[in-house]
Amino acid sequence: MSRQPITAVCFDAFGTLIGYNGRRINPYRRLVQSEPGQKAERLPFLTRDVGIEVFAEELGLSHLVPVIRHELVEELAGVQLFPEVAQALRKLRATGKRVAVCSNLAQEYGQVVRQLLPGLDSYVLSYEVGAAKPDPVIYSAVCEALGSRPRDVLFIGDSKRCDLQGPQAFGMQARWLDRSAGQTLLDALEGVL
């Protein structure tokens, strides 16, 4: 149970609200490690508002773009909301809480998040903000977008580092959703709905 009133709830996207119906392909892995011993930095993929072609060109890997595009289409076609998400969001709305999503994403994933989760009060996506969780900048953007003080926002997600410890360090309330232990979003929202 929360000690302070909650006026808004912010969710992580993948692993929390959205799952993979099929296998996770992770097309960007081809750019992160294209050759043995060569590893590109992952953070720019999440914090720059540019498409995969730009990253591939910068890394001298433009020849991989057709394969990566094919994998992206396949992966994005296999994403869906977890079964209880629609019900949980309806219940939150009925309580008058503002609802946001905050996720570390590459640009290609943003449109799918917005399509699967239409009508939220805010979408705070790392590639648009220029910062990725657990950077305090992104949590600040959440609070600003929701018009809420950090202590009035509950953050829920499946990463202890990014969705529990990061928001708590910023002054938000936070809960970890452990789907591997059978928890659902309704469990994580206990006492809020």
Side-chain angles (χ1 to χ4, degrees), residues 32-93:
V32 173
Q33 190 153 4
S34 60
E35 298 175 22
Q38 179 188 13
K39 189 167 184 170
E41 186 66 36
R42 182 176 173 264
L43 188 61
F45 302 146
L46 304 176
T47 58
R48 290 179 55 202
D49 193 358
V50 296
I52 194 122
E53 292 84 2
V54 172
F55 291 118
E57 183 178 330
E58 289 174 357
L59 294 167
L61 300 170
S62 294
H63 63 282
L64 294 177
V65 170
V67 173
I68 294 170
R69 276 272 163 225
H70 175 76
E71 289 178 346
L72 269 168
V73 168
E74 186 179 340
E75 181 170 87
L76 293 174
V79 298
Q80 64 184 17
L81 294 179
F82 284 104
E84 78 283 3
V85 170
Q87 175 190 5
L89 294 177
R90 274 194 309 275
K91 286 183 171 188
L92 270 177
R93 289 285 190 201

Side-chain angles (χ1 to χ4, degrees), residues 20-172:
Y20 293 92
N21 182 22
R23 69 183 181 101
R24 171 118 196 259
I25 299 169
N26 191 9
Y28 272 80
R29 80 188 181 295
R30 293 181 178 278
L31 297 181
V32 173
Q33 190 153 4
S34 60
E35 298 175 22
Q38 179 188 13
K39 189 167 184 170
E41 186 66 36
R42 182 176 173 264
L43 188 61
F45 302 146
L46 304 176
T47 58
R48 290 179 55 202
D49 193 358
V50 296
I52 194 122
E53 292 84 2
V54 172
F55 291 118
E57 183 178 330
E58 289 174 357
L59 294 167
L61 300 170
S62 294
H63 63 282
L64 294 177
V65 170
V67 173
I68 294 170
R69 276 272 163 225
H70 175 76
E71 289 178 346
L72 269 168
V73 168
E74 186 179 340
E75 181 170 87
L76 293 174
V79 298
Q80 64 184 17
L81 294 179
F82 284 104
E84 78 283 3
V85 170
Q87 175 190 5
L89 294 177
R90 274 194 309 275
K91 286 183 171 188
L92 270 177
R93 289 285 190 201
T95 67
K97 307 255 188 296
R98 290 183 307 284
V99 180
V101 67
C102 174
S103 192
N104 288 349
L105 296 177
Q107 182 193 58
E108 283 82 6
Y109 294 81
Q111 182 179 354
V112 171
V113 169
R114 285 182 166 94
Q115 287 172 345
L116 286 172
L117 299 162
L120 298 184
D121 295 298
S122 183
Y123 302 84
V124 181
L125 308 178
S126 62
Y127 72 90
E128 294 176 339
V129 174
K133 299 179 292 183
D135 187 326
V137 169
I138 201 163
Y139 306 122
S140 178
V142 167
C143 293
E144 185 176 324
L146 289 170
S148 298
R149 298 174 299 186
R151 68 180 184 218
D152 299 331
V153 179
L154 172 63
F155 202 107
I156 296 175
D158 67 322
S159 165
K160 282 186 179 179
R161 180 173 171 255
C162 294
D163 305 324
L164 180 67
Q165 296 161 352
Q168 286 176 335
F170 188 72
M172 297 170 139

